[in-house]
Amino acid sequence: KAIALNPQFAEAYTEWGIVYTQLGNMDVAMEGYNAAIQTNPGYALAWAHRSGLFVLRLEWDRALQDAHHAVELDPALAMAYKARAIAHKGNKEYKEAIADFQKFLNLDPTTLLRTWAEDEIKSLRQVEKALFARLLHRFLPPGFFEFSAARGTQDSLEIRALIDNLDFGSGQDIDLLRLGQKQRRHLADNGLRRRIGHVFWIGWNQT
C-alpha cells in the first residue's frame, strides 16, 4: 500500500524485500531490494539487506560488494557488518570475518544474535590457528618436531604453546607468515615474532 501511495518510498520497497526473504521467495525479495536501491541509492539499509540476500544465495562476492557499500554509506549500520562477516567467511577470509563479527557486536551489543556471533568468532579463531599450525609445519624443516622430541628440546612444545596462545582477533600475526618465502626475514619484527623467529632459527640450525 505504501508503495502504491508513493512509488519513491525506498523504505517500503525494502520492507517488501524483507517480507519475501522471510517467505523464502528470493526472486521477489530481490526485486524489492533492487527497486529500493534504484529509488534511493543512498539508502544503506537496502544495500545491507540485499547483501544478506546474496549471502543466502551463497553469492559471496556480490554480498561483499553490497555490504562494503552499505558500510560506506552508514558506518554505524550493524547488520551491514554482520552480512559482510558471513560473506568473508564464505570466501575463507577469516581474519576479515572475525573483525566484522566483532564490529557487529560492538555496534549492537544487545543483539539477540550475540551468542551466535561470539560462537562464530571462536570458531573462526580456531580455523586461523589450524591454518597457522599447518603453515608452521610447511616452513619448518622436515622431521623438526620428531627431531626436537628425540633431542629432548623444548622447541616443539614452545611452538605448540605459541599456537595455542596466539590471539587471532586482529589476524596480524598470521598475516606476517602469509608473506610466504619472505617470512623468514620478517619473523623478528617485534616481541612475539622474535620468539617465533628464535624457535625457527633453532629448528633450521639443528637439522
Side-chain angles (χ1 to χ4, degrees):
K1 184 176 181 180
I3 296 173
L5 293 174
N6 185 355
Q8 300 303 308
F9 195 15
E11 291 87 349
Y13 282 121
T14 302
E15 288 299 323
W16 168 12
I18 293 170
V19 169
Y20 279 99
T21 297
Q22 293 171 344
L23 292 174
N25 192 330
M26 295 188 186
D27 290 337
V28 177
M30 185 63 72
E31 292 177 7
Y33 297 138
N34 288 343
I37 290 169
Q38 185 176 6
T39 298
N40 182 2
Y43 188 44
L45 193 62
W47 289 94
H49 276 291
R50 194 173 73 170
S51 174
L53 186 56
F54 281 130
V55 163
L56 293 176
R57 292 166 55 156
L58 309 183
E59 297 183 42
W60 309 122
D61 290 337
R62 298 182 75 177
L64 278 173
Q65 184 177 6
D66 276 11
H68 280 315
H69 196 64
V71 168
E72 289 175 356
L73 291 170
D74 185 357
L77 184 59
M79 71 164 298
Y81 293 95
K82 180 189 73 174
R84 193 168 71 175
I86 299 171
H88 276 309
K89 179 183 176 182
N91 265 347
K92 303 187 187 308
E93 297 162 349
Y94 303 124
K95 178 194 71 172
E96 293 82 358
I98 291 171
D100 276 342
F101 274 124
Q102 192 60 63
K103 186 70 173 179
F104 164 63
L105 290 175
N106 291 344
L107 289 172
D108 190 3
T110 62
T111 176
L112 296 176
L113 298 175
R114 169 165 286 278
T115 298
W116 164 77
E118 289 174 342
D119 287 345
E120 286 290 319
I121 291 172
K122 291 177 183 176
S123 175
L124 290 168
R125 282 177 172 163
Q126 289 303 313
V127 171
E128 284 280 72
K129 285 186 178 183
L131 292 173
F132 182 81
R134 186 183 306 171
L135 195 59
L136 286 180
H137 279 281
R138 177 181 168 189
F139 284 101
L140 283 170
F144 173 80
F145 284 108
E146 294 80 1
F147 180 88
S148 296
R151 287 283 297 272
T153 66
Q154 294 297 308
D155 303 335
S156 60
L157 295 177
E158 289 172 357
I159 291 178
R160 294 182 196 280
L162 285 168
I163 294 170
D164 290 339
N165 292 319
L166 284 175
D167 181 1
F168 289 93
S170 67
Q172 291 178 346
D173 297 295
I174 197 168
D175 267 357
L176 186 68
L177 293 179
R178 282 177 177 160
L179 293 172
Q181 296 298 327
K182 296 180 181 179
Q183 53 86 228
R184 298 187 187 189
R185 296 198 302 271
H186 294 276
L187 283 169
D189 274 1
N190 54 46
L192 176 61
R193 296 191 184 99
R194 277 200 297 273
R195 186 63 184 131
I196 296 175
H198 174 65
V199 173
F200 268 80
W201 185 88
I202 292 172
W204 283 324
N205 285 276
Q206 282 181 340
T207 55

